[in-house]
Amino acid sequence: MPQPPNAALPDALPFALSLRRVNRGVGYVALFLPVILIALTIFSNTCFNQSISHYYYSRIGGDIFVGALPFIGLLLAFFYSFHTKTVDGYLRHYWYDIWLIKLAGISAFLIAYSPTTGSGCDYDGAEVARTFLTSASGLAPPASDVTGALSYDMWATFPMFGAPENVPIVLQSLHFGGAAVMFTILGYFSYFVFTRINSFASVIEGSRKGFRNVWYRALGLMIFACVAIMGGAAILTKLILSPDAAQAFLDTWNHWRLTFILESVALMSFGLSWMIKGRFIKAFEDGAEH
């Protein structure tokens, strides 16, 4: 009995699926997310938020932020599989690399769906901000006034906690922990994983592997530096400085939007690293690939 085409390949697709294009897609979203949010701030009278995460509470910016992070998380967490030892370009990816990239994807979901606390801005009344509302009344027509307690803390809106100070520290830390884990893993990939000899094309004449590695390491170091600076600032304000000194430090830090700047540098470094992995321009291709 004749077998149908590709009977031995149950996952075969009638179209081409390129992992390089996936890498480029992840890279483009990460690279342009800060750029789009800055453009939104300039052209739509949106407050320049203290961090990228605080754009969760802004009009339009919240949709962009919550759309971009899960897109990245979905691809990282579910697209990459374990059959890498026989695939040229991924010959030296190890089992823990795949688990780490999946963890980075899950962390992206945590960043998006467990939002940071605080408004991130001093709203002037002319802007519309996304908030959580508890004990709301007056929502049913024909009432025109709505009353309730405004909050920029998602977990504090759950009645079981009653007040922000009652929210378990584990839940309070999900957003920041997720960000630290995601950026650390992405820095690890750029500096340690992407620089390995993973393909046959990388070791033959015309290879530009060394050129790519210079970029991978520089971008990985930039991600690590951003994580270290933000982590150091958190330790300084939480554990070392007095309350008054910590508040003065945070006022200066937030005035210059240093969290936004560092997050932008880390995101754009991650994005560019993955775009290079996806060979977004021919300057990064090996000679044998032309």
Side-chain angles (χ1 to χ4, degrees):
M1 178 178 179
Q3 291 185 335
N6 297 327
L9 301 172
D11 293 328
L13 297 173
F15 51 84
L17 188 61
S18 170
L19 190 53
R20 285 190 177 180
R21 291 175 182 170
V22 174
N23 291 335
R24 287 200 296 268
V26 171
Y28 281 128
V29 172
L31 180 71
F32 286 108
L33 176 59
V35 177
I36 292 172
L37 293 179
I38 291 173
L40 179 70
T41 299
I42 295 172
F43 295 111
S44 69
N45 192 34
T46 299
C47 181
F48 188 3
N49 283 270
Q50 295 170 2
S51 73
I52 288 178
S53 297
H54 277 108
Y55 276 87
Y56 175 93
Y57 300 105
S58 70
R59 58 183 181 183
I60 305 176
D63 300 318
I64 295 171
F65 175 77
V66 177
L69 267 294
F71 172 80
I72 293 173
L74 184 68
L75 292 180
L76 296 183
F78 297 105
F79 192 86
Y80 295 89
S81 187
F82 299 91
H83 306 291
T84 58
K85 292 183 179 180
T86 59
V87 180
D88 188 31
Y90 297 86
L91 299 177
R92 291 190 60 194
H93 277 59
Y94 305 119
W95 64 269
Y96 52 82
D97 295 330
I98 304 300
W99 281 113
L100 284 173
I101 205 62
K102 290 180 181 295
L103 178 59
I106 294 171
S107 298
F109 282 101
L110 290 179
I111 296 170
Y113 295 127
S114 179
T116 188
T117 57
S119 68
C121 257
D122 294 324
Y123 292 101
D124 60 10
E127 298 177 77
V128 178
R130 174 186 302 181
T131 60
F132 298 102
L133 188 66
T134 58
S135 303
S137 62
L139 290 173
S144 58
D145 296 325
V146 178
T147 61
L150 291 177
S151 173
Y152 291 98
D153 188 339
M154 181 191 73
W155 297 112
T157 63
F158 286 79
M160 68 182 73
F161 300 127
E165 59 268 20
N166 297 331
V167 178
I169 189 66
V170 173
L171 297 182
Q172 293 179 4
S173 303
L174 279 183
H175 178 88
F176 302 104
V181 169
M182 186 187 77
F183 279 123
T184 300
I185 292 174
L186 295 175
Y188 161 78
F189 260 75
S190 184
Y191 193 90
F192 294 103
V193 178
F194 290 171
T195 52
R196 298 173 190 159
I197 301 297
N198 283 308
S199 69
F200 297 108
S202 297
V203 296
I204 63 177
E205 185 177 356
S207 169
R208 293 181 180 141
K209 179 63 174 173
F211 177 59
R212 292 195 299 273
N213 281 357
V214 170
W215 280 87
Y216 289 143
R217 290 193 176 99
L219 295 168
L221 286 175
M222 291 180 72
I223 296 173
F224 287 140
C226 291
V227 172
I229 294 172
M230 288 188 287
I235 293 172
L236 193 65
T237 54
K238 298 291 185 182
L239 302 177
I240 298 177
L241 296 178
S242 66
D244 290 340
Q247 188 58 53
F249 177 87
L250 285 174
D251 289 343
T252 302
W253 179 278
N254 291 331
H255 173 75
W256 293 104
R257 300 298 191 262
L258 293 182
T259 298
F260 182 94
I261 293 171
L262 291 168
E263 287 177 337
S264 297
V265 172
L267 264 177
M268 296 175 80
S269 297
F270 151 52
L272 185 54
S273 179
W274 283 67
M275 287 164 63
I276 293 172
K277 187 65 175 175
R279 309 293 196 272
F280 75 108
I281 57 176
K282 288 188 176 181
F284 293 105
E285 291 183 0
D286 292 321
E289 296 173 338
H290 291 297

